[in-house]
Amino acid sequence: MSNDANQKLESLYSEAITLLGEDVHRQGLKDTPKRVAKAMQFMLNGYDQDPVAILKSAIFEEDYSQMVVVKDIELYSLCEHHMLPFFGKAHIAYIPSGRIVGLSKIPRVVDAFARRLQVQERLTNQIRDCIQETIQPLGVAVVIEARHLCMQMRGVQKQNSKTTTSAFYGEFLKEETRSEFISLISTKLD
């Protein structure tokens, strides 16, 4: 982000703090607009990332056609409706069709999409579609379980609620394959 954009963000956060009734010049708030601007830039750096390029940087030809599961991928995002955090875990699987992807690239794709203003439903589909279109496996499965502070801190105020979303493609549309995936992500193997 340009220095000009950063300064504009700082000014906007300073104005917001003032409008909320605080003294932006008091000691504890003096640098808050600058810190918030930097934090927002970090939390929303997914706009600067190309998830397709991330996957394409580590695709390998490999004769492997069984399920590959990466589970318990931590994710942090901001709800686009209230700009409050939602956070949780993503579980992702794919069935290769002659090509595999470097395992670290899957969590990077999650971050690239999560670090944008989001809704969990779209995030789930974006991850599935990116993996499917880029490496063209026999199928993709994505399950995300998250807690939304917009539901916990305000509004309905349900502290223990979690939201689960899923998106399946190809072989994972078959009950047997989907059940195997759900069993694998539900099992503690350590």
Side-chain angles (χ1 to χ4, degrees):
M1 183 171 279
S2 72
N3 194 32
D4 184 49
N6 191 50
Q7 288 176 344
K8 285 180 182 177
L9 277 174
E10 284 181 42
S11 176
L12 290 170
Y13 286 119
S14 179
E15 183 178 348
I17 290 167
T18 301
L19 288 171
L20 291 169
E22 265 291 356
D23 176 8
V24 76
H25 301 291
R26 76 173 170 84
Q27 183 179 0
L29 291 175
K30 200 172 356 177
D31 290 328
T32 297
K34 181 185 296 184
R35 286 190 298 265
V36 174
K38 285 183 179 181
M40 292 302 282
Q41 289 173 47
F42 176 77
M43 290 185 289
L44 296 173
N45 69 13
Y47 293 111
D48 298 327
Q49 298 179 43
D50 180 354
V52 171
I54 290 169
L55 288 176
K56 284 185 174 180
S57 72
I59 295 177
F60 307 100
E61 301 294 323
E62 191 64 46
D63 185 26
Y64 185 81
S65 59
Q66 300 299 310
M67 194 181 302
V68 176
V69 179
V70 182
K71 68 181 193 175
D72 296 331
I73 302 166
E74 295 174 6
L75 71 85
Y76 302 90
S77 192
L78 288 177
C79 164
E80 69 182 33
H81 300 139
H82 303 98
M83 290 183 67
L84 289 172
F86 68 91
F87 55 93
K89 293 181 179 180
H91 313 287
I92 300 170
Y94 73 99
I95 300 174
S97 170
R99 299 177 347 150
I100 60 170
V101 66
L103 294 176
S104 71
K105 303 309 176 195
I106 293 174
R108 290 180 193 276
V109 166
V110 171
D111 284 345
F113 284 119
R115 294 208 179 259
R116 301 172 184 198
L117 294 176
Q118 275 290 10
V119 294
Q120 185 174 330
E121 298 87 344
R122 180 186 322 116
L123 174 61
T124 307
N125 284 340
Q126 286 176 325
I127 295 166
R128 178 204 56 201
D129 294 346
C130 180
I131 293 170
Q132 180 62 41
E133 293 166 11
T134 306
I135 63 174
Q136 299 178 339
L138 298 174
V140 178
V142 179
V143 170
I144 295 177
E145 182 178 63
R147 294 181 180 275
H148 293 249
L149 291 187
C150 58
M151 283 182 56
Q152 294 180 321
M153 290 179 66
R154 55 160 305 284
V156 71
Q157 297 182 28
K158 297 302 176 200
Q159 303 308 309
N160 297 309
S161 65
K162 291 181 186 177
T163 300
T164 302
T165 52
S166 62
F168 303 103
Y169 184 87
E171 291 295 311
F172 287 95
L173 295 173
K174 297 177 182 173
E175 180 63 35
E176 181 180 356
T177 310
R178 188 169 49 249
S179 293
E180 179 184 349
F181 169 67
I182 298 299
S183 174
L184 287 171
I185 66 172
S186 301
T187 304
K188 294 281 185 204
L189 297 176
D190 3 72

